[in-house]
Amino acid sequence: MNIFDRMMSLDRRWVFLLLVVVCAVTYIVPFQVPIRVEGEVRSIYDFIDTLKPGEIVFIAIDYDPNALAELHPMCYAVMEHCFRKNLKVIVTALSQNGPGMAEQAILNISDSLMLDREYNGVLYEGREIRNGEDYAFLGYKPYFALVILGMGQNFRIPFPTDYYGTPLDSIPMMQGVQNYDQVACVVDLSAGNITDAWISYGQGRFYFPLALGLTGVMGADYYPYLNSRQIFGLMAGLYGAAQYEEMANNPGLAKDGMRVQVYAHLVIILFILMGNIGYFMGRRDEKK
Amino acid sequence: MRRQIPLMLVFIFGIFMIFQYFVPHESSEWIYEFLLDWIYIIGIFALALGIWSLIRVSVAKIKAHKSGWGYPIITLAGLFLMILFGFTGYRDGSWGFYFMTAEGLSNPMFRHFFDYIMIPIQSTMFALLAFFIASAAYRAFRARNIMASLLLVAALVVMLRFNPYLGPIGPVIADTASWLLNVPNLAAKRAIIIGVGLGMVATSLKIILGIERGYLGKG
Amino acid sequence: MRRSTIIVMAAIFGLFILTWILRSTSLASVQEHYLIGGFKVTFSAFLTLAILSFLYKDNPFYKFAEHLFVGISAAFWMSMGFWTTIVGNLIPRLSRSLSEFFQVPYQPGSYNFVYFIPVILGIMLLMRLSSKYGWFARWPLAFIVGTFAGLNFVRYLRSDFIEQVSATFVPLLVNWQGVEHFFSNFSLSASGQFVAIVGNWVIFLGVICGIIYFFFSKEHKGAFGTASRVGIWILMITFGASFGYTVMGRISLLVGRITFLFRDWLGLIS
Amino acid sequence: MKCRSLIAFLLVLCAFTLTGAQEGIGPPDSISADSTRGDSILPPAPVGNLKAWDTDDDHGHSVTLEWEISSDDGAGQNSVLSYEIFRWTPFFMDTLKGIRNSLAQTEAYIAELQAFLPRAKKRLKVHRKGEPGVGFADSVAFYVDTIAASERWLPLHKDRLGQLRRERAQAIDMIPQAHKSYPEQGEWRKVGTALSGQTSYVDAGVKEKVSGDYLADHADYYYRVDAVTADSTIRTSSEIAGPVQSYGQFFNTGRIPVFVAVIVFTFLTVFFVTKARRGADLYVRPLAGIEAVDDAIGRATEMGKPILYVLGLGTAADIGTIASFTILGRVAKRVAEYQTKLIVPCYDPIVMTVAQEIVKSAYLDAGRPDDYYEDIVYFVTQSQFAYVAAVNGTMLRELPATNMYMGVFFAESLILAETGALAGSIQIAGTDQVAQLPFFIVACDYTLIGEELYAASAYLGREPILLGSLKAQDYAKAAVMVLALLGLIAVNLDWTAFTDLFVVAK
């Protein structure tokens, strides 16, 4: 049995062993893989990165805990980016089971903002993120389409008070903030049909810049809106989130996941190539 | 008599269900809902047959005393324990023939067996797919002929779609992969679905008309 | 039993006890019943590893997990079926006293008598166990098969036939604004007009060639044979692409199990 | 003691409901001014041309409304945010609601009493057995009293329940009559909201009479649509549409395309089957997967190893499983003739029953009824991965010469096929599940793709009748191609009359 035959007929247990070792090691050891960033994610990052301190970004956390694995990384990456750039954030959670999860996410991000961090060569000092000054969490209201329409007139129509019961007029950062006109852009993170409402009732009527964060399977359906410029950016699935983390130089959950994926895929590809090299070389030897 | 009545039943209910589809009236909906309810109920009776079969096969293996005859004992033990947990429960201060209470399952052991035995085994069985998808790819993706090569190349392109180490061809691969997943994929799946649809329709019709009767035990 | 087997068994048993104790001690500050809690996690981990050991080869641990799982799951579905369908659906419509016994609300109605029919059909099914009257079992089977044949006949005619055919009606010249416009704005970018046009041509021709591949009563020769070959090529490309696409989800499942083993059981990562 | 106060509370509640207390009629939905708005909005223009009619092609209990949008919606002042739909509702509906509420309450009390009685009796037994001590006589006496009281109340409640049910039935019958009093003894109530830009609304009730959302057929309904601005007090009502009645239809005209397809398809099948029966010669192209079946059985016989036949996770209602039954029949017959061992583990108990019947008759047909035993076909479990675990074990322990996977499969397809390959078996698969085909194609030696699974039964039997229906399927496929081509031309020439023919109502 020469080496080529062996390459072709390797015991599959070696495949299993290498795969499980690679998955476990890449999962446990926190090293970084580079992520290739595509245009539709880059444009979201660039848009937020070039905003001036004090401008407002509207982040709509419109997913349930069951889509958390794919969409939470996006939420963390975008919101931390906003806070580090001293932008203000308005957050809504228009999915019924979402508000508690969204609040927890805001608190977690606030905690990590307490630390000094260096991103892309710039040192950002840790600071305390204050409710009402750095962000306003409006919470949940039913009939999302009506809420999106109502906010086009005034945020105070669907949300007279924020999630904690404070009237919007008493919130410092909401002073003079009437509707989408005072917002730099809207980032909608969603796993369902709320996205369609943001496009048709929100962007379609009030013409604010809109970016989407979606689950992997939904991604392909929304590329046409990118072409028609109804949305200025799109992140889909874990890979989309990993691209944002890459741009922000802030590796998180998505890049952890992608690290395992990239290497697990490489292991499988390696074995496929090995089998084929063995096959072709073996055939050439036979012809001789 | 033994074959004619079943064939007649198939014909009558089959034709009824076809007409039912075109009649939106309430009465037609009621009958439709009744029929579906019936099928669920019959299914539970069948499950009793299934459990009987499982017990009989296990007992036969134990009796035969061939190698591994001990394992069916574990099956039977698991079966009877779980049936016991499933049919008895604690509610309002006493044990009885209960299942659910307002707070959930009335027997905590039923829940524990589900959470700590069924769930880990089930998810690990599912996770075996990660290994098998790798070994199947290694074993079967050989460029033996045109068809196998197409299969291999398409799979490789899609698997490389987010690989960061490809340099300038990376974006090309990513675009090709998303094109493959959106365009030829759609065409092929649609062709298969139309074929499957026609096959299903034809088979259903053959069943209703009594042409296909393999399921009654005769070809 | 061979000596080596006994040693392996003993080692695994020892490890089980060891991890149980370790897990329990780490739970002691968090839970009241930490010994039980530790056992539950350790037993789950044992079962997880038992199933994974199948990848090496069939072995007593896999056999144990397999047989246990079969027994428990069969009983699980039987209990669920009994309580949800028989108690939840049938008994409230059949008998007041049985409803009271199972403490479900009795639902009187003028059509409740029809619910005796599935009971009769179910009993006919059980007659299979008798060699003499086993043929009665065909009646309920015929009822089920007939009902679903009718249901599927119209359902698939609509969803898999009419709707799929009409979905194939695609414009072959997407956003056509004349030859001049086409060439002056020509680009190979993924979102360009040219790629969209090619895409629609591939979809249409792909569907036609795919359908030709499935012709049974015509010889696949000449132009027909070529089309059929193109059809199977497109099928193969699709199968390859779908296979490659699925890998990501399957790896995630494995990562889920690794997380369980390393975090929930061994507590090595947080 | 806690228990005692609960019982006393319960009894008081029982007495209260028996007196026939009815829920009061609440005030109509009040409209509150939005104080946070500073700037004033002018009342918008009303919607125009409001029309209402019975919803087409349905089971009744539904009315469709259509209007033209307000001139201040998307234009003009651009102040309209939503439209609110109002239906005129007689006060009688509140009476009905009251009956429904009392009924629900009574049902709850009866259930509670019924649960309480056996518990209290058990307690009483315990107390009687218990040590006589402080308060012993008290608690026994208390339980005796409450049990006696509950037993007295229970039949009264049950009578009341029956009476309420009769009242409810009568009230439901009176709904059409009550609507005749329009515009007296009733008021406008909101039934729904449509967003700005929308021009229609379906007021769909349910057909269950006991439900609060029940919308009676053959009653005269009147509707009105308000154009509502950001300040919900600033609104303009439309003209009134009505009376309109809802009722069920006996033919769904939206499904005519399916009806035509049913007729054409049935005709094609009957035509070719009759032709085949008369003995016309029909060609069918070879299918590698089918030809492999015979070889595989021969191979198993030579090797003296069994054949494993997996029917998949489908139920007897799945056509894929039914096609698999027919193939199983042919395979079992050959297996019986060659005297090879057959193993059929099943996932669904009904499928198991059918498969047993099939294999039994196949052995009978092959002239070997004595070789048949019941446990050739056996049930494993109705849990996907437990079934897979067991079949995997069987494959590695019995080492079958051939594995056949025919029917409906899900994620387990690859686990089975890879384990089978490990055991060194020849594998033939066939499924109609598009998502699983890639895995079978990759891991098995032969795969029947989609429709080929259905064709397989005709191929294996070579019966002219079944082959005739294959011919019908081919003609249907030719028709698909012609229609697809016509549709393509129609779309490219904007000939919508043709493409509209394919629109089917849900």
Side-chain angles (χ1 to χ4, degrees):
Chain A
M1 203 184 220
N2 64 21
I3 176 142
F4 299 126
D5 285 345
R6 224 173 258 177
M7 279 171 86
M8 270 177 70
S9 54
L10 193 70
D11 192 318
R12 76 182 68 195
R13 279 176 287 200
W14 292 110
V15 183
F16 298 157
L17 184 70
L18 193 63
L19 188 72
V20 77
V21 167
V22 166
C23 283
V25 168
T26 51
Y27 180 66
I28 294 164
V29 181
F31 68 98
Q32 296 304 321
V33 288
I35 299 283
R36 195 182 54 247
V37 181
E38 278 158 21
E40 59 270 17
V41 180
R42 184 183 297 274
S43 52
I44 304 179
Y45 176 84
D46 288 347
F47 190 98
I48 292 177
D49 204 54
T50 48
L51 293 177
K52 288 189 231 24
E55 287 196 73
I56 296 172
V57 174
F58 189 109
I59 300 179
I61 302 181
D62 295 339
Y63 52 92
D64 281 351
N66 56 19
L68 180 146
E70 282 187 281
L71 295 175
H72 240 36
M74 295 178 194
C75 172
Y76 276 69
V78 175
M79 210 183 285
E80 176 158 359
H81 185 206
C82 293
F83 286 145
R84 292 285 181 195
K85 301 294 291 183
N86 282 311
L87 305 176
K88 296 187 187 305
V89 177
I90 300 175
V91 183
T92 55
L94 297 185
S95 175
Q96 206 173 4
N97 300 318
M101 178 196 67
E103 189 195 10
Q104 191 56 47
I106 297 173
L107 295 178
N108 290 347
I109 295 164
S110 304
D111 284 348
S112 60
L113 259 288
M114 303 287 277
L115 306 169
D116 292 351
R117 280 288 162 77
E118 191 179 314
Y119 296 125
N120 289 323
V122 183
L123 180 78
Y124 295 93
E125 276 177 28
R127 64 189 179 101
E128 195 184 338
I129 298 298
R130 287 201 185 85
N131 179 19
E133 285 171 26
D134 297 293
Y135 70 90
F137 181 41
L138 304 186
Y140 168 79
K141 279 282 145 69
Y143 304 111
F144 54 81
L146 212 54
V147 174
I148 292 168
L149 271 172
M151 287 193 294
Q153 299 285 333
N154 193 324
F155 290 130
R156 287 154 187 83
I157 295 169
F159 296 104
T161 65
D162 74 353
Y163 184 67
Y164 307 99
T166 318
L168 252 54
D169 286 326
S170 323
I171 296 176
M173 70 162 276
M174 295 304 284
Q175 300 303 323
V177 179
Q178 293 297 317
N179 52 33
Y180 300 122
D181 292 346
Q182 283 81 39
V183 164
C185 71
V186 175
V187 181
D188 173 44
L189 308 174
S190 153
N193 47 7
I194 303 182
T195 308
D196 295 320
W198 274 109
I199 293 172
S200 53
Y201 293 120
Q203 202 278 338
R205 219 181 147 108
F206 303 107
Y207 308 107
F208 48 78
L210 175 68
L212 301 179
L214 307 166
T215 59
V217 280
M218 285 168 74
D221 296 340
Y222 288 88
Y223 273 88
Y225 294 108
L226 213 54
N227 297 338
S228 61
R229 301 209 165 74
Q230 281 164 283
I231 55 175
F232 72 87
L234 188 150
M235 299 177 274
L238 202 63
Y239 184 43
Q243 293 176 50
Y244 200 96
E245 288 177 3
E246 174 79 10
M247 289 291 296
N249 189 15
N250 178 14
L253 296 168
K255 279 195 77 175
D256 286 351
M258 286 313 291
R259 190 172 65 216
V260 182
Q261 292 292 349
V262 164
Y263 280 91
H265 276 74
L266 275 179
V267 169
I268 298 175
I269 290 165
L270 188 84
F271 276 108
I272 295 177
L273 292 181
M274 204 172 77
N276 278 286
I277 292 168
Y279 174 71
F280 279 105
M281 292 306 191
R283 228 173 41 168
R284 205 181 56 181
D285 287 355
E286 264 171 42
K287 276 183 190 156
K288 275 179 194 165
Chain B
M1 176 71 175
R2 291 184 182 191
R3 302 188 60 86
Q4 262 59 38
I5 290 180
L7 284 177
M8 254 165 59
L9 285 177
V10 167
F11 183 77
I12 293 168
F13 283 104
I15 294 286
F16 172 79
M17 289 309 270
I18 293 175
F19 277 101
Q20 193 281 328
Y21 179 78
F22 297 103
V23 181
H25 199 265
E26 243 177 281
S27 45
S28 130
E29 281 185 350
W30 283 123
I31 302 176
Y32 173 82
E33 284 160 17
F34 274 142
L35 290 183
L36 292 190
D37 257 0
W38 291 7
I39 290 173
Y40 286 123
I41 294 165
I42 297 173
I44 300 298
F45 281 89
L47 196 53
L49 277 184
I51 300 281
W52 172 243
S53 161
L54 178 64
I55 295 173
R56 214 187 38 205
V57 172
S58 302
V59 169
K61 274 190 198 153
I62 297 168
K63 274 192 187 155
H65 258 268
K66 273 195 286 188
S67 74
W69 62 271
Y71 293 106
I73 298 177
I74 299 169
T75 305
L76 292 182
L79 181 78
F80 288 120
L81 266 182
M82 196 69 170
I83 288 180
L84 182 75
F85 298 151
F87 282 81
T88 59
Y90 187 78
R91 186 156 88 176
D92 309 323
S94 63
W95 287 90
F97 201 44
Y98 305 129
F99 189 58
M100 293 296 285
T101 64
E103 294 89 47
L105 290 169
S106 61
N107 192 325
M109 286 308 283
F110 193 74
R111 179 92 227 179
H112 289 325
F113 268 47
F114 180 75
D115 283 347
Y116 297 101
I117 297 180
M118 282 181 69
I119 290 290
I121 301 187
Q122 194 163 309
S123 16
T124 314
M125 282 303 295
F126 203 4
L128 287 184
L129 275 170
F131 296 101
F132 286 142
I133 209 165
S135 71
Y138 165 62
R139 191 168 54 84
F141 283 151
R142 299 276 154 82
R144 290 195 182 89
N145 50 40
I146 296 183
M147 294 220 294
S149 311
L150 288 172
L151 196 70
L152 163 71
V153 171
L156 276 183
V157 167
V158 173
M159 282 165 70
L160 284 170
R161 70 191 182 284
F162 49 73
N163 193 296
Y165 304 114
L166 293 173
I169 62 161
V172 181
I173 297 251
D175 283 350
T176 316
S178 67
W179 189 79
L180 283 179
L181 288 169
N182 290 329
V183 177
N185 197 16
L186 193 70
K189 286 204 170 138
R190 194 168 287 157
I192 298 174
I193 288 174
I194 290 175
V196 164
L198 280 176
M200 286 205 185
V201 167
T203 313
S204 304
L205 189 63
K206 284 189 283 182
I207 291 167
I208 295 170
L209 296 178
I211 298 169
E212 169 107 41
R213 39 179 91 170
Y215 63 94
L216 280 181
K218 270 234 163 70
Chain C
M1 263 197 276
R2 279 183 303 154
R3 211 177 140 161
S4 55
T5 325
I6 295 171
I7 293 171
V8 170
M9 292 275 192
I12 287 171
F13 185 71
L15 278 174
F16 184 91
I17 300 287
L18 184 71
T19 51
W20 176 14
I21 294 167
L22 285 175
R23 190 71 220 152
S24 301
T25 46
S26 70
L27 285 175
S29 55
V30 201
Q31 282 184 13
E32 200 182 334
H33 303 287
Y34 55 90
L35 272 182
I36 298 174
F39 181 79
K40 284 192 281 200
V41 175
T42 313
F43 193 62
S44 300
F46 165 73
L47 291 173
T48 301
L49 292 173
I51 295 292
L52 286 177
S53 72
F54 177 75
L55 292 170
Y56 181 68
K57 68 174 196 187
D58 192 22
N59 63 69
F61 296 108
Y62 175 77
K63 284 184 200 166
F64 171 78
E66 171 206 321
H67 283 87
L68 184 67
F69 190 19
V70 167
I72 288 180
S73 63
F76 176 83
W77 288 110
M78 193 177 140
S79 304
M80 295 298 272
F82 179 81
W83 289 103
T84 54
T85 307
I86 301 285
V87 175
N89 223 345
L90 180 66
I91 283 178
R93 288 172 170 128
L94 284 191
S95 141
R96 186 187 292 272
S97 53
L98 272 177
S99 312
E100 282 173 13
F101 176 74
F102 286 107
Q103 304 190 359
V104 283
Y106 178 56
Q107 299 171 12
S110 34
Y111 296 103
N112 273 353
F113 64 90
V114 297
Y115 280 88
F116 279 104
I117 298 172
V119 174
I120 295 166
L121 288 172
I123 292 168
M124 281 177 150
L125 199 64
L126 292 181
M127 285 190 186
R128 262 204 59 78
L129 296 173
S130 131
S131 51
K132 201 171 167 195
Y133 299 106
W135 55 274
F136 266 119
R138 285 180 184 162
W139 291 27
L141 296 178
F143 162 71
I144 293 174
V145 170
T147 307
F148 274 100
L151 194 66
N152 288 331
F153 184 50
V154 277
R155 196 172 66 178
Y156 285 102
L157 212 48
R158 195 196 86 199
S159 70
D160 282 19
F161 184 75
I162 295 175
E163 286 182 4
Q164 292 295 328
V165 172
S166 58
T168 314
F169 303 163
V170 286
L172 290 182
L173 299 173
V174 186
N175 296 329
W176 191 249
Q177 290 158 22
V179 180
E180 205 175 317
H181 176 268
F182 177 75
F183 281 106
S184 57
N185 292 298
F186 187 84
S187 97
L188 280 174
S189 82
S191 54
Q193 190 195 9
F194 177 70
V195 171
I197 290 176
V198 170
N200 277 359
W201 276 89
V202 170
I203 287 174
F204 179 73
L205 293 177
V207 171
I208 295 291
C209 291
I211 292 175
I212 286 177
Y213 169 76
F214 286 112
F215 267 80
F216 298 109
S217 61
K218 193 161 165 36
E219 263 186 278
H220 289 189
K221 282 196 306 197
F224 199 77
T226 313
S228 134
R229 211 153 30 229
V230 172
I232 187 74
W233 286 350
I234 290 182
L235 290 190
M236 284 301 154
I237 291 174
T238 299
F239 292 149
S242 305
F243 188 98
Y245 188 71
T246 318
V247 174
M248 190 165 174
R250 301 300 185 238
I251 299 291
S252 302
L253 293 173
L254 179 59
V255 171
R257 286 333 280 167
I258 292 176
T259 311
F260 169 73
L261 287 177
F262 284 87
R263 194 186 64 192
D264 301 348
W265 180 47
L266 295 177
L268 287 183
I269 46 173
S270 54
Chain D
M1 278 306 120
K2 196 175 148 200
C3 184
R4 236 188 241 192
S5 54
L6 190 112
I7 295 157
F9 177 66
L10 205 80
L11 289 176
V12 171
L13 275 181
C14 292
F16 176 69
T17 44
L18 269 184
T19 56
Q22 266 189 13
E23 203 207 47
I25 297 158
D29 291 355
S30 57
I31 298 158
S32 63
D34 197 346
S35 56
T36 55
R37 298 283 312 168
D39 44 344
S40 60
I41 306 173
L42 294 173
V47 305
N49 214 359
L50 176 66
K51 275 183 265 178
W53 66 87
D54 168 54
T55 308
D56 296 327
D57 298 330
D58 72 345
H59 62 211
H61 310 291
S62 167
V63 172
T64 305
L65 302 175
E66 212 177 82
W67 59 85
E68 287 160 9
I69 57 168
S70 153
S71 57
D72 288 323
D73 177 2
Q77 290 187 64
N78 201 4
S79 59
V80 176
L81 274 191
S82 63
Y83 297 107
E84 291 183 354
I85 290 87
F86 284 80
R87 185 172 72 213
W88 184 82
T89 313
F91 293 131
F92 175 76
M93 298 306 279
D94 296 322
T95 316
L96 179 61
K97 194 175 163 195
I99 296 174
R100 283 195 175 115
N101 287 341
S102 316
L103 204 104
Q105 279 172 8
T106 313
E107 275 171 350
Y109 292 140
I110 291 177
E112 216 159 306
L113 274 180
Q114 277 172 347
F116 164 72
L117 268 173
R119 262 184 285 160
K121 284 178 182 167
K122 231 179 246 176
R123 283 278 163 80
L124 183 60
K125 240 186 233 169
V126 175
H127 276 271
R128 279 188 171 148
K129 268 188 211 158
E131 293 289 308
V134 186
F136 164 76
D138 271 0
S139 58
V140 169
F142 173 77
Y143 275 108
V144 171
D145 285 353
T146 44
I147 288 170
S150 305
E151 276 175 343
R152 243 188 354 262
W153 285 119
L154 197 58
L156 293 175
H157 269 296
K158 284 185 177 167
D159 288 349
R160 167 102 179 116
L161 191 70
Q163 189 199 337
L164 280 169
R165 285 204 171 113
R166 280 189 298 278
E167 276 176 28
R168 179 179 64 185
Q170 281 166 4
I172 287 167
D173 289 342
M174 280 168 66
I175 293 175
Q177 188 59 41
H179 278 81
K180 287 220 160 60
S181 67
Y182 176 83
E184 305 297 323
Q185 296 160 40
E187 64 181 359
W188 290 97
R189 286 188 191 168
K190 186 177 150 187
V191 291
T193 309
L195 293 171
S196 68
Q198 288 181 4
T199 56
S200 65
Y201 180 82
V202 179
D203 183 22
V206 299
K207 63 176 193 279
E208 284 75 19
K209 286 184 176 172
V210 295
S211 161
D213 297 327
Y214 174 71
L215 191 83
D217 277 350
H218 306 294
D220 288 331
Y221 293 117
Y222 297 86
Y223 287 92
R224 177 189 103 191
V225 174
D226 284 6
V228 184
T229 62
D231 181 349
S232 59
T233 54
I234 300 175
R235 56 171 69 211
T236 311
S237 303
S238 69
E239 311 229 304
I240 289 154
V244 55
Q245 291 196 345
S246 74
Y247 50 90
Q249 278 77 39
F250 278 99
F251 186 76
N252 189 337
T253 49
R255 288 175 174 177
I256 284 179
V258 184
F259 193 71
V260 172
V262 168
I263 304 274
V264 170
F265 205 86
T266 312
F267 171 78
L268 272 178
T269 309
V270 172
F271 177 79
F272 281 102
V273 166
T274 334
K275 201 172 154 190
R277 215 173 244 162
R278 277 199 232 107
D281 191 29
L282 293 171
Y283 165 86
V284 283
R285 81 176 161 90
L287 276 180
I290 299 293
E291 283 162 13
V293 169
D294 272 337
D295 297 344
I297 298 170
R299 181 171 174 263
T301 314
E302 279 168 28
M303 296 167 72
K305 284 180 174 179
I307 288 175
L308 178 75
Y309 193 100
V310 181
L311 284 151
L313 298 196
T315 64
D318 288 304
I319 305 293
T321 311
I322 290 180
S324 180
F325 283 147
T326 314
I327 302 170
L328 173 64
R330 318 280 183 208
V331 171
K333 197 173 163 195
R334 299 266 156 83
V335 165
E337 283 163 0
Y338 287 132
Q339 290 183 291
T340 309
K341 193 181 164 197
L342 182 66
I343 307 172
V344 189
C346 292
Y347 166 83
D348 181 280
I350 297 181
V351 168
M352 174 200 76
T353 316
V354 180
Q356 281 175 342
E357 192 80 0
I358 291 167
V359 174
K360 196 173 170 182
S361 341
Y363 273 70
L364 210 67
D365 281 356
R368 302 194 182 277
D370 297 340
D371 288 351
Y372 175 79
Y373 57 100
E374 197 84 324
D375 296 341
I376 291 179
V377 182
Y378 59 94
F379 175 76
V380 182
T381 167
Q382 225 171 354
S383 162
Q384 183 184 17
F385 287 103
Y387 175 75
V388 179
V391 175
N392 270 358
T394 308
M395 280 196 256
L396 291 191
R397 281 157 226 156
E398 304 273 344
L399 297 174
T402 307
N403 300 330
M404 290 188 207
Y405 314 106
M406 302 278 176
V408 179
F409 289 86
F410 300 102
E412 73 285 353
S413 60
L414 187 67
I415 304 184
L416 292 174
E418 272 297 290
T419 312
L422 183 70
S425 317
I426 292 276
Q427 306 203 85
I428 307 171
T431 185
D432 52 3
Q433 297 296 304
V434 184
Q436 301 310 321
L437 280 167
F439 306 110
F440 277 142
I441 294 265
V442 168
C444 292
D445 301 274
Y446 302 94
T447 306
L448 298 171
I449 303 170
E451 199 185 355
E452 293 175 349
L453 172 69
Y454 305 116
S457 62
Y459 270 83
L460 282 168
R462 288 266 152 198
E463 276 175 44
I465 303 177
L466 289 177
L467 291 177
S469 80
L470 274 190
K471 192 85 190 164
Q473 265 165 269
D474 277 0
Y475 271 88
K477 265 173 276 181
V480 167
M481 284 161 54
V482 172
L483 288 178
L485 200 66
L486 287 177
L488 191 81
I489 296 168
V491 164
N492 284 290
L493 299 179
D494 277 338
W495 187 29
T496 49
F498 181 79
T499 49
D500 286 348
L501 291 179
F502 290 82
V503 178
V504 180
K506 293 276 180 230

